[in-house]
Amino acid sequence: MVVLNNGIVSVTFSMVGHVTSLMYEGSTENLLESQNAEDDRGYWSVVWNKPEEKGGMERLQGTSYRVILQNPDQTEISFSTTWTVGSEKVPLNFDKRFVMLRGVPGFYTYTVLEKQKGWPAFDIQIARVVFKLDENKFHYMAMSDERKRFMPMEVDRKTGQVLEYKEAVLLTNPTNPQFKGEVDDKYLYSCDNKDNKVHGWVSTDLGLGVWMITPSIEFKTGGPLKQDLTSHVGPTMLSIFISPHYAGEDLALKFEEQEYWKKVLGPVFVYLNSDVSAKTNPSVLWDEAKQRMSKEVASWPYDFPFSNDFLNSSQRGAVSGQLLVHDSYINKQPVPAASAYIGLAPTEGPGSWQTESKGYQFWTQTDDSGNFLIKNVIPGTYSLFAWVRGTVGDYKHATDIIVASGSNIELHDAVFNAPRFGPTLWEIGIPDRTAAEFFIPDPVYKIHQYQNYTERFRQYGLWARYAESYPESDLLYTVGESDYKTDWFFAHVTRHGIHGLYHFYSIGIAGSRLVDGMNTIFLTQDVNLGPFREVMYDYIRLEGPAS
Ligand SMILES: *[C@@H]1O[C@H](CO)[C@@H](O)[C@H](O)[C@H]1NC(C)=O
Ligand SMILES: *[C@@H]1O[C@H](CO)[C@@H](O)[C@H](O)[C@H]1NC(C)=O
């Protein structure tokens, strides 16, 4: 047993480096679920498999414990393992680190993963750190200003009715009768990486909050639009670094035998706060946790992690410039791309950052004049990518960007020539990489009454509404008469999201295929792999011939 204690928070670890207890301000009450086995309270885990084989979940168990640093201001400990040839464990060396700082109510954790050349080929599907809080203490969860609520309990899922997939359970006899008729499903609490900076739980009995703060997404796969889980009934609190959620197999990490790979996941911050007023108004702790999150984001990259694999700010470089966009039938000259997402990711084709998983990504948004500054980039060779709201397609800078420690590269030639063949004849939707502007039907089951919540698409069973709405023949959209807000069903069926991976398709239509008068285009989804695999349209446009 190992204990880290700074007089505010006390964290106990098993000898393999699982977190077995979390205590706050001198209390001896464990905030983690003591009913669970010691390896099922706070742990790092991976889901992995050998190529073409079914895999499973493995909790990362350290075999070597070391105190890395111990002084009055900071303690850092390590639980590591070196893989040995022939072992049935995941073929990785790993080093799980936990850091506690003086006066800070919480602790940081990160893990360095390494695969050596010559070790077996394998895939990682999921990598995450998980905390399971005491079910009798934590009932209120918050993951955004809109999505915060008292939650059902794990037992309510056991007494409920499992729906079309096991994660979705209709609550038929919940502990809190107000929730009867709602569907509980952890995917209801997903969000994009760019928005997944703080989430967690409040105990109104104790006036205490426990939060997962993610100060950067540089170490997460798939860039800013990758969606993933946050917190959910358990009470469970996650940080997911790698997963196929909402995107599929393309997001798995696939390693060849001859491949060498190393990556630092984290640090993420487990933060505790308290306020007596939270006993009646739990969202005060959410508001305070958001402030703390901003402070953590501002101090990224942290200067305290002691691993040589985590680079501090002086070891990193920066890239700045101005992004212009040229959509030839809209503007004669390139114009500044305001509020565009722009980022560096390992070099591959346009849009490849969406499925990129082995390296690091560094993203920011341009200002109103299209100016950008990407700070704290780990040295390496990258491509510069961007997408611009209101414009279709993906930008990739023509040349690779080589970032060195302390470098500050200025780019004066970042011009996105948007795909365009001719003038717009008609369009459906808004090019913004979501289908949120289209028609979203009323939910099938009772929905939780959040205040101000507008994401109507995040409801169980909406896919069934399509067949109900169009029992005889498919949706017919008449250009010039129909309105996409009410007449364009938001998906060729869906599962609680509003986008997947973005693909851009241009299809040429020969003039000889058009007839005088009414023409019809059929959009058919013929990859029919079940109701939870689907296509959503971001935007459709018909262009005339180039003039
Ligand atoms: C960053 O790390 C380098 C190498 O360990 C060290 O020499 C330097 O002092 C560190 N800089 C800061 C700002 O912590
Ligand atoms: C709802 O949104 C409005 C407008 O943005 C805001 O003024 C109000 O405070 C919000 N209410 C809650 C409960 O968050």
Side-chain angles (χ1 to χ4, degrees):
M1 189 175 90
V2 176
V3 179
L4 286 184
N5 186 339
N6 64 4
I8 308 171
V9 168
S10 173
V11 189
T12 309
F13 302 86
S14 67
M15 284 320 293
V16 297
H18 297 320
V19 180
T20 59
S21 89
L22 176 61
M23 294 180 285
Y24 188 63
E25 294 213 321
S27 163
T28 55
E29 276 188 282
N30 187 358
L31 302 173
L32 301 181
E33 181 54 71
S34 332
Q35 302 292 316
N36 287 6
E38 289 213 334
D39 67 355
D40 192 25
R41 300 179 190 172
Y43 57 88
W44 283 84
S45 70
V46 292
V47 174
W48 71 281
N49 58 278
K50 296 176 184 166
E52 313 303 326
E53 286 183 27
K54 210 172 151 45
M57 194 263 272
E58 180 181 326
R59 293 186 174 89
L60 297 180
Q61 300 183 330
T63 49
S64 165
Y65 166 67
R66 282 179 303 153
V67 177
I68 301 292
L69 179 73
Q70 189 169 20
N71 67 39
D73 290 324
Q74 176 175 354
T75 302
E76 177 159 347
I77 59 173
S78 151
F79 299 88
S80 64
T81 284
T82 307
W83 191 77
T84 48
V85 174
S87 163
E88 282 304 304
K89 303 262 186 183
V90 62
L92 287 171
N93 291 334
F94 62 83
D95 186 352
K96 295 190 287 182
R97 298 289 183 99
F98 296 89
V99 180
M100 193 173 262
L101 303 179
R102 181 158 70 155
V104 172
F107 64 94
Y108 298 84
T109 183
Y110 64 105
T111 289
V112 185
L113 299 176
E114 179 184 40
K115 179 194 174 289
Q116 301 256 338
K117 227 174 145 153
W119 289 359
F122 74 106
D123 304 342
I124 303 180
Q125 303 289 341
I126 296 179
R128 64 194 163 190
V129 61
V130 181
F131 292 92
K132 296 185 175 173
L133 303 175
D134 183 331
E135 185 177 29
N136 292 318
K137 298 190 178 84
F138 292 89
H139 300 289
Y140 182 89
M141 190 194 91
M143 47 98 25
S144 73
D145 283 338
E146 295 75 31
R147 278 184 282 171
K148 47 186 199 223
R149 59 170 295 187
F150 284 96
M151 291 288 279
M153 294 179 72
E154 191 66 36
V155 64
D156 302 340
R157 293 179 54 86
K158 301 216 166 72
T159 60
Q161 177 197 338
V162 177
L163 299 173
E164 282 187 63
Y165 48 90
K166 69 180 189 330
E167 292 86 353
V169 174
L170 179 63
L171 305 177
T172 52
N173 190 19
T175 320
N176 181 339
Q178 279 180 4
F179 304 154
K180 187 172 172 172
E182 284 186 22
V183 175
D184 179 65
D185 177 351
K186 62 184 176 182
Y187 292 96
L188 295 175
Y189 309 106
S190 295
C191 70
D192 290 355
N193 280 346
K194 65 182 165 52
D195 305 318
N196 190 350
K197 293 185 187 143
V198 54
H199 57 88
W201 291 83
V202 174
S203 166
T204 48
D205 295 344
L206 303 173
L208 173 78
V210 180
W211 308 97
M212 175 62 71
I213 292 181
T214 307
S216 166
I217 63 166
E218 68 178 37
F219 45 75
K220 295 211 170 194
T221 59
L225 292 184
K226 173 69 172 67
Q227 300 163 88
D228 233 309
L229 301 171
T230 59
S231 288
H232 60 265
V233 165
T236 302
M237 191 174 85
L238 300 169
S239 184
I240 298 192
F241 303 92
I242 298 166
S243 92
H245 295 142
Y246 298 90
E249 188 66 16
D250 288 351
L251 263 289
L253 277 72
K254 294 177 192 293
F255 295 105
E256 309 281 339
E257 205 173 288
Q258 284 315 309
E259 198 170 341
Y260 175 82
W261 177 73
K262 192 183 219 182
K263 187 168 176 177
V264 181
L265 304 182
V268 294
F269 180 36
V270 175
Y271 174 60
L272 286 79
N273 59 3
S274 67
D275 188 328
V276 283
S277 68
K279 295 186 177 197
T280 48
N281 181 12
S283 71
V284 298
L285 290 179
W286 161 252
D287 291 334
E288 203 279 333
K290 277 196 302 178
Q291 287 177 23
R292 182 72 196 207
M293 176 271 284
S294 300
K295 193 173 153 190
E296 298 295 319
V297 169
S299 47
W300 187 265
Y302 293 141
D303 56 8
F304 55 78
F306 224 70
S307 167
N308 288 332
D309 295 310
F310 184 82
L311 302 191
N312 65 32
S313 58
S314 58
Q315 294 167 299
R316 299 180 178 220
V319 177
S320 60
Q322 186 190 29
L323 179 68
L324 303 176
V325 58
H326 190 208
D327 191 347
S328 53
Y329 280 81
I330 308 279
N331 296 99
K332 285 219 161 12
Q333 295 299 322
V335 295
S339 306
Y341 276 87
I342 185 160
L344 296 165
T347 56
E348 269 186 75
S352 58
W353 54 270
Q354 291 186 105
T355 51
E356 193 286 320
S357 54
K358 289 178 182 164
Y360 299 93
Q361 298 198 20
F362 303 87
W363 287 87
T364 190
Q365 272 184 285
T366 59
D367 66 13
D368 289 346
S369 311
N371 295 316
F372 64 90
L373 169 59
I374 306 174
K375 289 185 292 189
N376 297 312
V377 181
I378 293 172
T381 302
Y382 298 91
S383 288
L384 181 71
F385 296 103
W387 82 90
V388 182
R389 195 183 137 88
T391 306
V392 298
D394 280 287
Y395 171 71
K396 182 189 173 200
H397 191 262
T399 57
D400 291 352
I401 314 280
I402 300 165
V403 178
S405 289
S407 66
N408 191 349
I409 297 166
E410 281 182 47
L411 295 173
H412 299 290
D413 57 351
V415 181
F416 173 31
N417 287 305
R420 171 70 82 171
F421 298 94
T424 300
L425 299 183
W426 52 256
E427 57 188 352
I428 301 172
I430 303 163
D432 62 354
R433 297 189 177 229
T434 93
E437 68 271 29
F438 295 128
F439 175 65
I440 293 165
D442 286 335
V444 182
Y445 293 96
K446 179 178 149 189
I447 59 164
H448 188 76
Q449 292 304 311
Y450 291 103
Q451 285 179 314
N452 278 10
Y453 188 50
T454 55
E455 294 183 334
R456 282 166 50 87
F457 56 85
R458 235 181 269 278
Q459 299 301 335
Y460 177 84
L462 295 183
W463 55 87
R465 283 283 146 110
Y466 181 82
E468 283 169 30
S469 309
Y470 304 97
E472 300 294 332
S473 58
D474 274 319
L475 179 162
L476 182 65
Y477 190 94
T478 309
V479 169
E481 289 175 20
S482 303
D483 177 354
Y484 66 74
K485 296 191 194 81
T486 50
D487 302 327
W488 187 273
F489 199 87
F490 77 115
H492 262 167
V493 304
T494 186
R495 183 174 177 179
H496 305 346
I498 205 64
H499 68 84
L501 298 180
Y502 180 84
H503 297 276
F504 176 77
Y505 298 104
S506 285
I507 300 163
I509 302 175
S512 59
R513 305 201 62 167
L514 300 175
V515 297
D516 276 345
M518 178 81 93
N519 288 273
T520 306
I521 297 172
F522 294 92
L523 297 168
T524 306
Q525 208 214 116
D526 58 9
V527 184
N528 179 15
L529 298 172
F532 312 123
R533 302 263 187 132
E534 66 285 326
V535 171
M536 291 181 204
Y537 298 94
D538 172 27
Y539 170 78
I540 299 175
R541 170 165 87 207
L542 183 68
E543 294 177 4
S547 53

PDB file of all heavy atoms in Angstrom, residues 70-82:
ATOM      1  N   GLN A  70      10.362  13.545  -4.251  1.00  0.00           N
ATOM      2  CA  GLN A  70       9.640  13.814  -3.010  1.00  0.00           C
ATOM      3  C   GLN A  70      10.285  15.013  -2.343  1.00  0.00           C
ATOM      4  O   GLN A  70      11.439  14.944  -1.930  1.00  0.00           O
ATOM      5  CB  GLN A  70       9.718  12.585  -2.094  1.00  0.00           C
ATOM      6  CG  GLN A  70       8.822  12.707  -0.878  1.00  0.00           C
ATOM      7  CD  GLN A  70       8.707  11.382  -0.140  1.00  0.00           C
ATOM      8  OE1 GLN A  70       9.532  10.485  -0.295  1.00  0.00           O
ATOM      9  NE2 GLN A  70       7.678  11.250   0.681  1.00  0.00           N
ATOM     10  N   ASN A  71       9.587  16.109  -2.326  1.00  0.00           N
ATOM     11  CA  ASN A  71      10.079  17.286  -1.608  1.00  0.00           C
ATOM     12  C   ASN A  71       8.866  18.017  -1.038  1.00  0.00           C
ATOM     13  O   ASN A  71       7.729  17.605  -1.300  1.00  0.00           O
ATOM     14  CB  ASN A  71      10.961  18.151  -2.538  1.00  0.00           C
ATOM     15  CG  ASN A  71      10.176  18.776  -3.678  1.00  0.00           C
ATOM     16  OD1 ASN A  71       9.034  19.208  -3.498  1.00  0.00           O
ATOM     17  ND2 ASN A  71      10.781  18.827  -4.850  1.00  0.00           N
ATOM     18  N   PRO A  72       9.058  19.078  -0.260  1.00  0.00           N
ATOM     19  CA  PRO A  72       7.899  19.688   0.401  1.00  0.00           C
ATOM     20  C   PRO A  72       6.842  20.211  -0.574  1.00  0.00           C
ATOM     21  O   PRO A  72       5.678  20.357  -0.192  1.00  0.00           O
ATOM     22  CB  PRO A  72       8.524  20.847   1.198  1.00  0.00           C
ATOM     23  CG  PRO A  72       9.936  20.437   1.411  1.00  0.00           C
ATOM     24  CD  PRO A  72      10.328  19.667   0.191  1.00  0.00           C
ATOM     25  N   ASP A  73       7.220  20.464  -1.812  1.00  0.00           N
ATOM     26  CA  ASP A  73       6.259  21.024  -2.767  1.00  0.00           C
ATOM     27  C   ASP A  73       5.590  19.987  -3.641  1.00  0.00           C
ATOM     28  O   ASP A  73       4.541  20.255  -4.227  1.00  0.00           O
ATOM     29  CB  ASP A  73       6.959  22.022  -3.697  1.00  0.00           C
ATOM     30  CG  ASP A  73       7.358  23.268  -2.947  1.00  0.00           C
ATOM     31  OD1 ASP A  73       6.588  23.680  -2.052  1.00  0.00           O
ATOM     32  OD2 ASP A  73       8.435  23.807  -3.229  1.00  0.00           O
ATOM     33  N   GLN A  74       6.187  18.833  -3.782  1.00  0.00           N
ATOM     34  CA  GLN A  74       5.716  17.904  -4.812  1.00  0.00           C
ATOM     35  C   GLN A  74       6.164  16.482  -4.526  1.00  0.00           C
ATOM     36  O   GLN A  74       7.288  16.253  -4.117  1.00  0.00           O
ATOM     37  CB  GLN A  74       6.318  18.349  -6.159  1.00  0.00           C
ATOM     38  CG  GLN A  74       6.007  17.436  -7.308  1.00  0.00           C
ATOM     39  CD  GLN A  74       6.525  17.986  -8.624  1.00  0.00           C
ATOM     40  OE1 GLN A  74       7.014  19.113  -8.672  1.00  0.00           O
ATOM     41  NE2 GLN A  74       6.423  17.207  -9.682  1.00  0.00           N
ATOM     42  N   THR A  75       5.246  15.545  -4.782  1.00  0.00           N
ATOM     43  CA  THR A  75       5.619  14.125  -4.778  1.00  0.00           C
ATOM     44  C   THR A  75       5.154  13.522  -6.085  1.00  0.00           C
ATOM     45  O   THR A  75       4.043  13.796  -6.540  1.00  0.00           O
ATOM     46  CB  THR A  75       4.957  13.384  -3.605  1.00  0.00           C
ATOM     47  OG1 THR A  75       5.350  14.009  -2.390  1.00  0.00           O
ATOM     48  CG2 THR A  75       5.377  11.924  -3.570  1.00  0.00           C
ATOM     49  N   GLU A  76       6.016  12.739  -6.691  1.00  0.00           N
ATOM     50  CA  GLU A  76       5.617  12.000  -7.891  1.00  0.00           C
ATOM     51  C   GLU A  76       6.025  10.552  -7.710  1.00  0.00           C
ATOM     52  O   GLU A  76       7.161  10.255  -7.343  1.00  0.00           O
ATOM     53  CB  GLU A  76       6.284  12.596  -9.148  1.00  0.00           C
ATOM     54  CG  GLU A  76       5.941  11.800 -10.404  1.00  0.00           C
ATOM     55  CD  GLU A  76       6.135  12.580 -11.710  1.00  0.00           C
ATOM     56  OE1 GLU A  76       6.296  13.815 -11.653  1.00  0.00           O
ATOM     57  OE2 GLU A  76       6.100  11.935 -12.779  1.00  0.00           O
ATOM     58  N   ILE A  77       5.063   9.652  -7.955  1.00  0.00           N
ATOM     59  CA  ILE A  77       5.346   8.222  -7.829  1.00  0.00           C
ATOM     60  C   ILE A  77       5.049   7.522  -9.151  1.00  0.00           C
ATOM     61  O   ILE A  77       4.305   8.045  -9.990  1.00  0.00           O
ATOM     62  CB  ILE A  77       4.547   7.581  -6.673  1.00  0.00           C
ATOM     63  CG1 ILE A  77       3.048   7.750  -6.870  1.00  0.00           C
ATOM     64  CG2 ILE A  77       5.005   8.142  -5.337  1.00  0.00           C
ATOM     65  CD1 ILE A  77       2.192   6.998  -5.856  1.00  0.00           C
ATOM     66  N   SER A  78       5.636   6.352  -9.295  1.00  0.00           N
ATOM     67  CA  SER A  78       5.529   5.615 -10.560  1.00  0.00           C
ATOM     68  C   SER A  78       5.244   4.138 -10.287  1.00  0.00           C
ATOM     69  O   SER A  78       5.829   3.539  -9.385  1.00  0.00           O
ATOM     70  CB  SER A  78       6.868   5.756 -11.304  1.00  0.00           C
ATOM     71  OG  SER A  78       7.120   4.646 -12.126  1.00  0.00           O
ATOM     72  N   PHE A  79       4.329   3.581 -11.068  1.00  0.00           N
ATOM     73  CA  PHE A  79       4.097   2.133 -11.077  1.00  0.00           C
ATOM     74  C   PHE A  79       4.319   1.693 -12.522  1.00  0.00           C
ATOM     75  O   PHE A  79       3.542   2.068 -13.409  1.00  0.00           O
ATOM     76  CB  PHE A  79       2.670   1.801 -10.647  1.00  0.00           C
ATOM     77  CG  PHE A  79       2.320   2.255  -9.257  1.00  0.00           C
ATOM     78  CD1 PHE A  79       1.815   3.535  -9.035  1.00  0.00           C
ATOM     79  CD2 PHE A  79       2.508   1.412  -8.172  1.00  0.00           C
ATOM     80  CE1 PHE A  79       1.485   3.956  -7.749  1.00  0.00           C
ATOM     81  CE2 PHE A  79       2.175   1.832  -6.884  1.00  0.00           C
ATOM     82  CZ  PHE A  79       1.670   3.111  -6.680  1.00  0.00           C
ATOM     83  N   SER A  80       5.371   0.960 -12.756  1.00  0.00           N
ATOM     84  CA  SER A  80       5.709   0.658 -14.147  1.00  0.00           C
ATOM     85  C   SER A  80       5.863  -0.837 -14.372  1.00  0.00           C
ATOM     86  O   SER A  80       5.999  -1.620 -13.426  1.00  0.00           O
ATOM     87  CB  SER A  80       6.997   1.383 -14.535  1.00  0.00           C
ATOM     88  OG  SER A  80       8.061   0.893 -13.751  1.00  0.00           O
ATOM     89  N   THR A  81       5.855  -1.193 -15.631  1.00  0.00           N
ATOM     90  CA  THR A  81       6.057  -2.590 -16.033  1.00  0.00           C
ATOM     91  C   THR A  81       6.822  -2.619 -17.345  1.00  0.00           C
ATOM     92  O   THR A  81       6.571  -1.813 -18.235  1.00  0.00           O
ATOM     93  CB  THR A  81       4.701  -3.306 -16.225  1.00  0.00           C
ATOM     94  OG1 THR A  81       4.179  -3.598 -14.932  1.00  0.00           O
ATOM     95  CG2 THR A  81       4.853  -4.620 -16.975  1.00  0.00           C
ATOM     96  N   THR A  82       7.780  -3.538 -17.430  1.00  0.00           N
ATOM     97  CA  THR A  82       8.493  -3.786 -18.678  1.00  0.00           C
ATOM     98  C   THR A  82       7.960  -5.097 -19.230  1.00  0.00           C
ATOM     99  O   THR A  82       7.944  -6.101 -18.527  1.00  0.00           O
ATOM    100  CB  THR A  82      10.008  -3.897 -18.400  1.00  0.00           C
ATOM    101  OG1 THR A  82      10.403  -2.732 -17.682  1.00  0.00           O
ATOM    102  CG2 THR A  82      10.790  -3.996 -19.691  1.00  0.00           C
TER     103      THR A  82
END
